[in-house]
Amino acid sequence: MPELPEVEVAARALRRWTEGRTVASAEAEPSRIFRGADARGFTALRGKVASISRRGKYLMVAFEDGRGFVGHLGMTGKWVRRPGGHPEPYSKARLRLDSGEVLHYRDPRMFGRIEPAPAGALSRVPAVAALGVDPLVDGLDAARLKAALSDTSMDLKVALMDQSRVAGLGNIYAAEALYRARLHPARKPASLSDAEWKVLSGAIHAALEFALAQEDGDEIAYVEEPGAPNPFLVYGRKGERCPACDTAFASFTQGGRTTWYCPGCQPLRPVKPARKAKKAAAPARKTPTRAKRRTS
Ligand SMILES: [Zn+2]
């Protein structure tokens, strides 16, 4: 499922493909991807693209004549470039370039979305305006991350996936970042120390940058697609051994989604900060408990 890096790759590809080109015509069948909006707002698109930007998992495409659209790739949406006359299965909307090439928006499951909107108002489309801090667009450091997450009692991973807090992370990159940060997905944000916020913000950037470094080609493959490789450290790796501690990766259901983690590297009990708060708890018992968890 496309998350921030996959949408960023789509934005970069669309910029490359439209640079120096003119959109000669646009076509679309009325379909669920328009969510009731008039597809004619898309088929009226013509001329030069002024800018293509991304916020969270949303693409914003502005044309020089003041038209534009917001796009979301949903679960299986993808922009692909094809020669003219090349049939593209699941093509739901198309931009025909003056070169004869066609940019297809293909989406077999149609959870994606295209919302025509004036170029000057793309960032005010409600779904975009509701987004929280974008790690690449806005920058994300420990202080911003803590400010975005620490007022919720949600589990840390569920909070990371809340688009109104941090924009762009989904099931894959939230799990990857938490594994890199050695934080259990069910930790409560309020329990994190300043040092842990710093490690987590760095881990989010590392997970995103790792993915962006992998995706340089013209056409992206999503990890859920049949035969697609799994480049991730922990996502989808239940039962495999953690290269850091040799514990078998485990999974559980959290917020309705499968979460992967390493029980060895990501203990649920915070290692440092809870001690002071719970002076009465027998500290002698903590060490053996943790040791037992590590070796089991
Ligand atoms: Zn481990």
Side-chain angles (χ1 to χ4, degrees):
M1 203 184 287
E3 299 181 24
L4 189 156
E6 292 77 22
V7 182
E8 178 66 25
V9 167
R12 291 176 185 179
L14 284 169
R15 268 184 224 127
R16 228 169 30 238
W17 297 338
T18 56
E19 195 180 349
R21 295 282 167 212
T22 298
V23 172
S25 64
E27 302 153 12
E29 290 71 46
S31 78
R32 197 171 87 184
I33 64 162
F34 289 100
R35 299 286 190 282
D38 193 340
R40 284 177 296 185
F42 183 85
T43 56
L45 296 171
R46 294 282 183 284
K48 287 206 182 310
V49 171
S51 70
I52 296 172
S53 50
R54 178 198 58 75
R55 182 160 190 87
K57 301 180 199 171
Y58 285 85
L59 287 166
M60 292 172 278
V61 181
F63 281 68
E64 285 187 351
D65 71 354
R67 298 178 192 270
F69 68 93
V70 164
H72 191 288
L73 303 176
M75 290 176 72
T76 53
K78 216 178 259 196
W79 282 92
V80 297
R81 180 173 62 169
R82 299 285 183 258
H86 185 284
E88 181 61 29
Y90 308 111
S91 175
K92 305 298 173 194
R94 292 164 292 287
L95 297 172
R96 204 169 286 279
L97 303 178
D98 57 351
S99 61
E101 293 168 314
V102 182
L103 310 182
H104 294 263
Y105 175 67
R106 54 162 293 159
D107 193 345
R109 297 190 63 187
M110 286 200 286
F111 287 104
R113 181 172 153 195
I114 288 178
E115 184 172 346
L122 297 176
S123 60
R124 295 198 298 276
V125 165
V128 177
L131 296 172
V133 57
D134 182 291
L136 301 191
V137 177
D138 305 318
L140 185 71
D141 58 11
R144 278 198 145 150
L145 187 62
K146 184 179 178 180
L149 300 185
S150 59
D151 68 336
T152 177
S153 58
M154 285 189 257
D155 285 356
L156 185 55
K157 173 158 172 283
V158 178
L160 279 172
M161 292 167 61
D162 178 347
Q163 301 300 300
S164 71
R165 297 175 182 277
V166 177
L169 301 182
N171 204 31
I172 295 175
Y173 294 101
E176 292 291 298
L178 289 169
Y179 172 63
R180 286 171 181 267
R182 306 260 189 273
L183 293 171
H184 193 285
R187 284 281 298 275
K188 295 298 177 188
S191 78
L192 267 66
S193 67
D194 284 346
E196 286 175 324
W197 286 117
K198 192 171 177 194
V199 170
L200 181 55
S201 62
I204 290 170
H205 284 289
L208 297 175
E209 273 149 29
F210 172 81
L212 285 169
Q214 308 260 314
E215 299 289 353
D216 235 4
D218 243 18
E219 194 158 331
I220 196 166
Y222 299 148
V223 66
E224 300 87 351
E225 291 173 345
N230 178 1
F232 300 111
L233 302 180
V234 67
Y235 176 84
R237 298 207 180 275
K238 184 181 178 180
E240 294 179 35
R241 295 273 161 192
C242 169
C245 73
D246 204 38
T247 304
F249 288 126
S251 71
F252 66 103
T253 303
Q254 187 181 28
R257 308 287 298 275
T258 302
T259 289
W260 290 267
Y261 74 113
C262 172
C265 294
Q266 296 167 270
L268 182 54
R269 194 173 286 272
V271 177
K272 291 174 215 159
R275 288 236 169 110
K276 264 189 192 165
K278 290 189 182 175
K279 259 185 185 159
R285 273 171 63 194
K286 285 187 180 172
T287 310
T289 307
R290 270 209 318 280
K292 204 192 285 172
R293 192 179 279 129
R294 283 245 168 77
T295 50
S296 62

